[in-house]
Amino acid sequence: MLANRIYKLLLILLAVGAIVFAFTPNIGAKMKITCDYCKEEIKGHYLEANGKHYHVAHYLCDECGELLANEKVYLKGGKKYCEKCYNKLFAPKCAYCGRIIEDRSVLYKGMSYHRDCFENHVALKCTLCGEIITGEYLQDFWGNAYHSSHKGEFPQCESCGRFISEEITGGGSRYPDGRHICNLCKSKALTDLDRAGEVFDKVKLQLAGENIRIEDDDIKLHLVDKNQLKEMSGEDSDSQKGYTRYKYTKIGNHQAAKHFDIYVLDAMPEMNFISIAAHELMHVWQHENSPAKNDPAFCEGSCNYASFLVLKHYSGEIAEYLIDNLNRDDDKIYGDGFRRVKKLAEDHGLDYWLRHLKSHKNFPAGY
Ligand SMILES: [Zn+2]
Ligand SMILES: [Zn+2]
Ligand SMILES: [Zn+2]
Ligand SMILES: [Zn+2]
Ligand SMILES: [Zn+2]
Ligand SMILES: [Zn+2]
């Protein structure tokens, strides 16, 4: 009956979307009311949830059974819960620490986090300035992420591509020819010609192991800086790292002597040297074995593939970085050429590639 005194003692609307209850003592009701818990008639106070009635003492959390009479009550899916159980079952939890998020959460890639958890453990941070990265960013092979805005602020290492900074490389230096080299790479730099000669001979052996035999002994190795390299090759290219020059001495109509000079950038880490040496040695091989003036992509692609074959012998991350560079090079001749040769060799084997290189100027049809 409406005459009944109805006290709404408590009505709490919670931000999380759970609604609470009306505490409704009902005295002298004429209608017979039954407790949904014990199924006995209720005489006196009762409480109500989801359209059902309860003795005050039977108003319990459907999850843990705790008395709810003086608690916040959360209703969901036809059930009533204490705060603890509701949170345990339904409150948003941090995807990093697994605990309930009571304050505002941070939504990132479809998951919710405590602000602290997000900022300290999840957020992508710029390796250069330490600030959180939102939106587009740059990432290098080594896993460092940067704000795009830093591009151009720091020089990039000629050898490893890292931005040269205290944070990432412990600094670096600039060679007189303008090359920037980071301190990580500089510590591995190959400057000694005798040592370079040893490594060079090892690369020759590794190529021979792939059936790429370079019989010619008259090969002279030179370590040069970038300016000398440009002068030797006559090419003003900053991406150039090596150059092979051929000299033929002719007596009458007969070729009497062949001589090769291989120029490799100096003061680069040994692994870079190995990659360049393999490339240049493959030029020597092609001079000895292939038709003259073959298709540049077939020629340079094959030389890069020789680098790849040698780099595969090494497991360090610099070798992986250099292989990654070969794979991702977007140059039409060097990059596409490499990928086409790689596909050819993978489809038909190294011997097929080398046989084709001996007798053709161009890629086989389909490559
Ligand atoms: Zn009851
Ligand atoms: Zn409970
Ligand atoms: Zn957390
Ligand atoms: Zn930054
Ligand atoms: Zn470096
Ligand atoms: Zn080349």
Side-chain angles (χ1 to χ4, degrees):
M1 293 285 277
L2 284 173
N4 291 342
R5 286 177 296 142
I6 297 174
Y7 302 105
K8 286 198 174 175
L9 292 183
L10 191 60
L11 180 68
I12 307 164
L13 289 167
L14 294 168
V16 282
I19 183 156
V20 193
F21 69 109
F23 178 61
T24 319
N26 182 341
I27 299 167
K30 287 180 184 165
M31 238 167 67
K32 190 178 158 184
I33 295 172
T34 310
C35 170
D36 194 68
Y37 180 79
C38 67
K39 312 300 177 198
E40 303 280 327
E41 190 184 347
I42 302 171
K43 293 166 182 161
H45 296 300
Y46 68 84
L47 292 166
E48 197 181 332
N50 296 320
K52 293 167 187 164
H53 306 92
Y54 300 88
H55 287 113
V56 173
H58 289 159
Y59 199 62
L60 311 173
C61 169
D62 287 330
E63 178 71 10
C64 70
E66 197 181 294
L67 187 64
L68 294 175
N70 296 310
E71 304 289 327
K72 268 190 196 174
V73 181
Y74 295 76
L75 304 179
K76 191 175 169 90
K79 290 186 168 188
K80 53 194 185 318
Y81 300 95
C82 69
E83 184 169 20
K84 225 165 70 188
C85 290
Y86 179 84
N87 280 342
K88 187 181 77 189
L89 295 170
F90 307 113
K93 292 181 192 70
C94 172
Y96 176 75
C97 71
R99 288 197 279 269
I100 288 155
I101 304 174
E102 283 156 13
D103 300 332
R104 278 176 56 193
S105 63
V106 175
L107 195 68
Y108 177 66
K109 292 187 178 169
M111 304 219 254
S112 300
Y113 299 90
H114 290 114
R115 181 158 290 280
D116 277 0
C117 289
F118 175 74
E119 289 184 355
N120 296 322
H121 303 287
V122 180
L124 190 61
K125 293 217 182 101
C126 174
T127 323
L128 289 168
C129 69
E131 297 294 316
I132 289 173
I133 294 176
T134 51
E136 280 193 16
Y137 62 96
L138 303 171
Q139 189 160 28
D140 68 14
F141 171 84
W142 311 94
N144 300 304
Y146 318 95
H147 288 111
S148 311
S149 57
H150 296 307
K151 201 171 182 181
E153 271 177 45
F154 297 84
Q156 259 177 298
C157 174
E158 175 93 13
S159 157
C160 70
R162 290 177 176 97
F163 279 119
I164 297 177
S165 66
E166 277 308 315
E167 292 81 2
I168 296 167
T169 64
S173 38
R174 186 167 191 251
Y175 290 153
D177 62 3
R179 275 179 291 161
H180 292 279
I181 192 105
C182 79
N183 280 347
L184 300 173
C185 292
K186 202 179 178 190
S187 66
K188 304 185 196 89
L190 187 58
T191 48
D192 180 69
L193 190 59
D194 288 340
R195 173 66 192 153
E198 287 167 25
V199 178
F200 190 74
D201 288 341
K202 193 174 163 199
V203 173
K204 254 202 234 176
L205 284 176
Q206 282 164 333
L207 287 174
E210 306 286 0
N211 240 345
I212 302 168
R213 283 174 224 289
I214 291 133
E215 313 287 359
D216 213 296
D217 276 339
D218 195 8
I219 301 173
K220 192 157 189 243
L221 174 68
H222 308 260
L223 291 177
V224 292
D225 71 11
K226 198 153 238 176
N227 294 330
Q228 291 169 302
L229 191 64
K230 284 180 183 175
E231 206 179 297
M232 289 298 162
S233 66
E235 276 179 52
D236 190 23
S237 157
D238 274 325
S239 57
Q240 194 175 27
K241 293 174 167 57
Y243 174 65
T244 299
R245 192 166 65 176
Y246 320 87
K247 236 190 267 169
Y248 296 84
T249 312
K250 280 189 176 179
I251 301 173
N253 281 335
H254 297 281
Q255 189 175 278
K258 285 169 291 179
H259 173 77
F260 298 91
D261 284 294
I262 291 184
Y263 300 90
V264 179
L265 270 185
D266 66 355
M268 300 287 277
E270 202 161 291
M271 201 55 66
N272 294 66
F273 174 86
I274 286 168
S275 176
I276 302 163
H279 180 108
E280 298 308 323
L281 281 166
M282 192 65 200
H283 275 304
V284 174
W285 187 92
Q286 290 191 64
H287 258 267
E288 297 284 80
N289 295 280
S290 303
K293 293 199 166 41
N294 51 1
D295 167 36
F298 195 29
C299 172
E300 297 297 348
S302 292
C303 290
N304 271 356
Y305 192 64
S307 293
F308 170 75
L309 290 174
V310 171
L311 288 170
K312 274 204 315 186
H313 289 270
Y314 299 89
S315 54
E317 48 181 13
I318 300 187
E320 279 169 33
Y321 168 74
L322 293 171
I323 289 175
D324 185 63
N325 268 2
L326 292 172
N327 281 320
R328 294 194 314 166
D329 187 347
D330 56 10
D331 188 273
K332 280 264 163 285
I333 292 175
Y334 289 83
D336 287 352
F338 167 70
R339 286 179 288 275
R340 289 163 74 190
V341 170
K342 188 162 177 258
K343 174 104 176 54
L344 175 67
E346 281 170 359
D347 288 354
H348 299 286
L350 293 187
D351 287 340
Y352 179 90
W353 159 54
L354 292 171
R355 265 203 318 275
H356 193 87
L357 199 53
K358 278 181 177 175
S359 50
H360 298 79
K361 288 185 172 206
N362 295 296
F363 281 97
Y367 288 91

